[in-house]
Amino acid sequence: MSTRTAVITGASAGIGAASARALAAAGFHVVLGARREDRLRPLAEELSGTAQSLDVTDAESVAAFAARVAECHVLVNNAGGALGLDRVERADEEHWRWMWETNVLGTLRVTKALLPALLASGDGHVITVTSIAGHEVYDGGAGYTSAKHAQSALHRTLRSEHLGDPLRLTEVIPGMVETEFSVNRFEGDTERAAAVYRGLTPLSAEDVADVVAFAATRPPHVNLDQIVVKPRAQYNGSRVHRE
């Protein structure tokens, strides 16, 4: 049996890097895409994978990336992120534009570009890492939650549009995960980012990657439509228990 190929976006750190490791351990050849090639290439070497420059907000970058992917059995749409935590009346349109470009249009571009290869594989699988923010709302989060709602809707629509095709679709829906997410959201303010997780044990990137790998290794007839994974101390997007 030939080695199956998994493509992971946003693979230079966090959930993307952890998913690459988990999928490589499960026997996949991993193709890693991200903007930060200085981080990407050592990881690809470690995993005997392939590193390719990818900016999901740039249509030409996505097209060039997809042209270099010879085959694809699993696509992990992981690239995304948040900027700011402003209430609607103080919303920064540039922040909103970046969040929609990255989370929504980025997912659209990569999925659209690799769908032919996924279908041609005879057993394709799109795994999109969204967020509980794609199913709830919270004060100050309208830019991010609206983008994640749209990303989730895009993913679930594909499930319907490709019913009957050799394509599975799984939405992985994490709660609080301690990665670079909050540092990026607060534009490098590490103290503010650390406060998000203070007093509780959040998920790690590896916790979410375990779920990604589990979904990717089910038998071809098994479709895990949605998997919600949160730390024990979290009830929803705004209610947590802190020690």
Side-chain angles (χ1 to χ4, degrees):
M1 182 176 179
S2 61
T3 301
R4 288 162 58 80
T5 298
V7 175
I8 303 102
T9 70
S12 61
I15 293 170
S19 295
R21 287 191 171 95
L23 289 167
F28 286 88
H29 172 74
V30 291
V31 177
L32 314 180
R35 291 173 299 171
R36 296 180 291 187
E37 291 185 72
D38 58 323
R39 292 192 180 190
L40 205 59
R41 298 201 179 281
L43 179 61
E45 290 177 10
E46 172 195 333
L47 303 177
S48 298
T50 304
Q52 303 282 9
S53 176
L54 174 63
D55 180 353
V56 301
T57 68
D58 183 328
E60 290 185 1
S61 174
V62 172
F65 176 85
R68 294 191 295 267
V69 176
E71 61 178 8
C72 181
H73 299 86
V74 174
L75 167 62
V76 181
N77 283 313
N78 170 71
L83 282 178
L85 198 58
D86 296 328
R87 291 168 59 96
V88 170
E89 68 260 28
R90 293 191 295 273
D92 183 320
E93 287 191 18
E94 287 305 312
H95 284 178
W96 277 59
R97 188 169 288 109
W98 182 87
M99 287 185 277
W100 276 73
E101 277 283 350
T102 305
N103 294 284
V104 186
L105 292 176
T107 296
L108 170 63
R109 291 184 186 105
V110 176
T111 305
K112 183 179 177 182
L114 291 178
L115 265 174
L118 286 158
L119 293 169
S121 76
D123 180 23
H125 195 167
V126 178
I127 300 174
T128 302
V129 181
T130 62
S131 168
I132 59 169
H135 299 264
E136 304 173 6
V137 297
Y138 55 86
D139 292 357
Y144 182 61
T145 59
S146 63
K148 284 297 182 182
H149 273 72
Q151 184 189 33
S152 175
L154 162 63
H155 177 91
R156 286 181 281 122
T157 301
L158 282 166
R159 176 77 168 101
S160 176
E161 289 180 346
H162 287 278
L163 188 64
D165 290 336
L167 184 70
R168 290 180 286 159
L169 290 113
T170 299
E171 181 184 3
V172 177
I173 308 169
M176 296 175 72
V177 187
E178 188 168 14
T179 61
E180 296 177 353
F181 175 86
S182 289
V183 174
N184 293 332
R185 172 173 233 169
F186 300 131
E187 299 180 274
D189 188 336
T190 54
E191 289 188 12
R192 190 178 180 190
V196 173
Y197 311 106
R198 193 167 294 135
L200 58 85
T201 302
L203 299 175
S204 68
E206 289 72 23
D207 293 328
V208 181
D210 284 346
V211 174
V212 170
F214 178 79
T217 53
R218 295 310 88 202
H221 70 287
V222 176
N223 196 96
L224 298 172
D225 284 35
Q226 294 181 326
I227 307 173
V228 180
V229 53
K230 295 180 286 191
R232 186 178 65 188
Q234 182 178 22
Y235 175 69
N236 59 22
S238 57
R239 185 180 175 195
V240 299
H241 174 75
R242 300 182 191 274
E243 298 293 340

